Amino acid sequence: NLPIFSKRLDSVVSLSLKGGVVRNLGDFLSTFSHVETLKLKEFGIRGKELLDAIARVTELKTLSIQHTSLRPLPPDELQFKVLPRLQELDLDHCTIHPALSVSGMTELQVLKVNNSGLFHLPEGLNDLPLRSRLQVLDLHGSRYLEGTVVLSGMPELRVLDLSDTKTSPVFGGPGSEAGPLPLEVLRLASIPLRDAPSLMAMPALRELDLSHTLIKQLPAGLGAEGGPSRLEILKLSGNPLSSVPTLE
C-alpha cells in the first residue's frame, strides 16, 4: 500500500491510480485535494464509496474512470453533483446500473460514457445550463442505451458520438431555426436511421460516420453549397445506397 503523506504535495496537478494500490482512498486523496485531473482504473469499490473519496479532491476539473464497477446501492442512481466544478467526465468500460445523473453539474463541458450498461440517457442531460455549455457528448458503445438526443439548445456542441447505441438524434425543429449547428464531429454508426440527417445546418462538419445506419440516400447538403465545406472524413460503409453522386 502507498503511504499516507503528512503534508500536501502542492506541485502535483494530475494524479493517476490503478486498482487497489491505496488502502484508504479518501485519506490518500485528501493529500491531493488540489489536483485538477484524476484518472482511476480498475477499482473494485462501490460507486458511492468511490465518489465520497473523489469528493475530497475539491479543485477537480477532469475525472476519468475506467474498467470500474460504479453500481450504487439500489434504487439509487449514480450522482456526480458532489463534484460541482467538474468540466470533463469520462467513464470508460464502467458498469453503471441502474442510472447515471449529471444533474447539478453546471460547469460540465465534456461528457463521455462509453461501453457502459446504461439503459437510459443520463438524468439531467437536458437541464440548463448544462445543455448550453456541453461541447462533447460521447455515449458510443452503450448498446442498450435508449433515448432521444435533441440538439436544440446546445450551441457549443462540437462532438456528438452515439455510435452503437439505440438512441435517436433529432437535428431539426427548434435547433434548425436557431441557426447553424457548430458540430465538427458526428458519429452515428450502427444506429438504424434509415433517413440520413441533413447537413445543410452543419457547415463546420469535419468528420461524419453514417456506416451501417440503413440509409438509402446520401445526406442532403453533402457536396452542396451551404453544406460542410471542410469535410475530411466520411464513412458510409454497410448501407444500401441506391444512388451514387456525380460531380458537376
Side-chain angles (χ1 to χ4, degrees):
N1 292 318
L2 295 178
I4 301 301
F5 301 104
S6 59
K7 66 177 182 178
R8 287 161 50 103
L9 300 177
D10 292 333
S11 60
V12 178
V13 295
S14 179
L15 176 64
S16 298
L17 296 172
K18 181 179 179 180
V21 296
V22 180
R23 178 176 297 176
N24 191 321
L25 183 61
D27 288 346
F28 181 79
L29 290 181
S30 294
T31 307
F32 298 93
S33 61
H34 58 286
V35 302
E36 297 182 356
T37 299
L38 179 62
K39 299 180 181 180
L40 303 176
K41 185 176 182 179
E42 297 176 1
F43 274 75
I45 59 180
R46 284 189 175 273
K48 185 179 185 304
E49 183 181 351
L50 183 61
L51 282 183
D52 287 345
I54 295 173
R56 301 197 183 191
V57 187
T58 55
E59 303 299 321
L60 195 61
K61 295 181 179 179
T62 299
L63 174 61
S64 174
I65 306 177
Q66 300 179 354
H67 297 276
T68 296
S69 177
L70 296 176
R71 293 173 179 263
L73 292 171
D76 295 338
E77 60 187 4
L78 189 63
Q79 299 186 15
F80 285 86
K81 61 184 178 182
V82 294
L83 306 170
R85 297 185 180 182
L86 204 65
Q87 297 178 5
E88 180 172 345
L89 176 61
D90 184 355
L91 306 177
D92 184 23
H93 283 86
C94 290
T95 302
I96 304 171
H97 185 80
L100 167 66
S101 174
V102 292
S103 294
M105 302 181 68
T106 56
E107 301 297 319
L108 195 65
Q109 299 175 13
V110 176
L111 177 59
K112 300 179 181 180
V113 186
N114 309 140
N115 302 289
S116 71
L118 281 179
F119 288 89
H120 305 288
L121 293 173
E123 184 71 26
L125 182 61
N126 292 321
D127 296 346
L128 291 175
L130 175 58
R131 287 180 59 81
S132 63
R133 291 180 180 269
L134 207 59
Q135 298 178 13
V136 176
L137 179 58
D138 183 352
L139 303 174
H140 83 265
S142 301
R143 61 182 61 186
Y144 304 111
L145 182 64
E146 298 182 349
T148 300
V149 179
V150 181
L151 272 69
S152 60
M154 305 180 80
E156 300 296 326
L157 192 66
R158 301 293 190 272
V159 177
L160 177 63
D161 191 345
L162 303 177
S163 301
D164 296 302
T165 67
K166 294 182 179 180
T167 57
S168 302
V170 175
F171 300 93
S176 59
E177 296 171 3
L181 297 172
L183 278 176
E184 298 178 7
V185 177
L186 177 59
R187 303 187 185 114
L188 303 174
S190 300
I191 296 179
L193 297 175
R194 300 188 182 276
D195 294 321
S198 173
L199 307 182
M200 295 302 292
M202 306 179 196
L205 202 63
R206 295 183 295 102
E207 178 181 340
L208 176 63
D209 188 352
L210 295 176
S211 55
H212 301 282
T213 54
L214 302 179
I215 60 172
K216 296 182 179 180
Q217 302 289 336
L218 292 174
L222 184 63
E225 186 175 353
S229 59
R230 297 180 294 172
L231 192 64
E232 300 173 358
I233 300 174
L234 177 61
K235 298 181 181 180
L236 298 169
S237 61
N239 291 310
L241 295 174
S242 58
S243 63
V244 178
T246 58
L247 297 177
E248 298 181 357

